[in-house]
Amino acid sequence: AFSAAGISFTPADGSEDVKFMANYVLHCNGGRGAVREAIEMIFKSQEKWLQIVEGYKQITTIGDKQ
């Protein structure tokens, strides 16, 4: 799957074999924010992150903010 993907990630607690093959070893463990970290990294590299955050702020109400 890594060879078919444009970029590859593994969580911090991924196996050593996978860490060796991945383009990026994330700081977060699996189930502890690794997917969000990867998504944020992709959107920031595309210079879309701030636009996404601002759009989220506009559609949420005070009770919805996380």
Side-chain angles (χ1 to χ4, degrees), residues 5-62:
I7 191 168
S8 56
F9 300 91
T10 188
D13 60 351
S15 73
E16 292 303 316
D17 292 336
V18 174
K19 286 180 180 180
F20 178 75
M21 296 180 67
N23 296 117
Y24 292 97
V25 178
L26 301 169
H27 293 100
C28 296
N29 289 335
R32 302 285 183 209
V35 171
R36 185 220 158 96
E37 183 182 347
I39 291 169
E40 187 173 334
M41 186 182 296
I42 291 167
F43 283 137
K44 283 182 176 179
S45 74
Q46 297 173 343
E47 298 182 2
K48 295 179 181 179
W49 182 248
L50 292 178
Q51 179 183 357
I52 291 167
V53 170
E54 289 304 315
Y56 175 76
K57 287 179 184 178
Q58 291 177 12
I59 62 169
T60 60
T61 62
I62 293 171

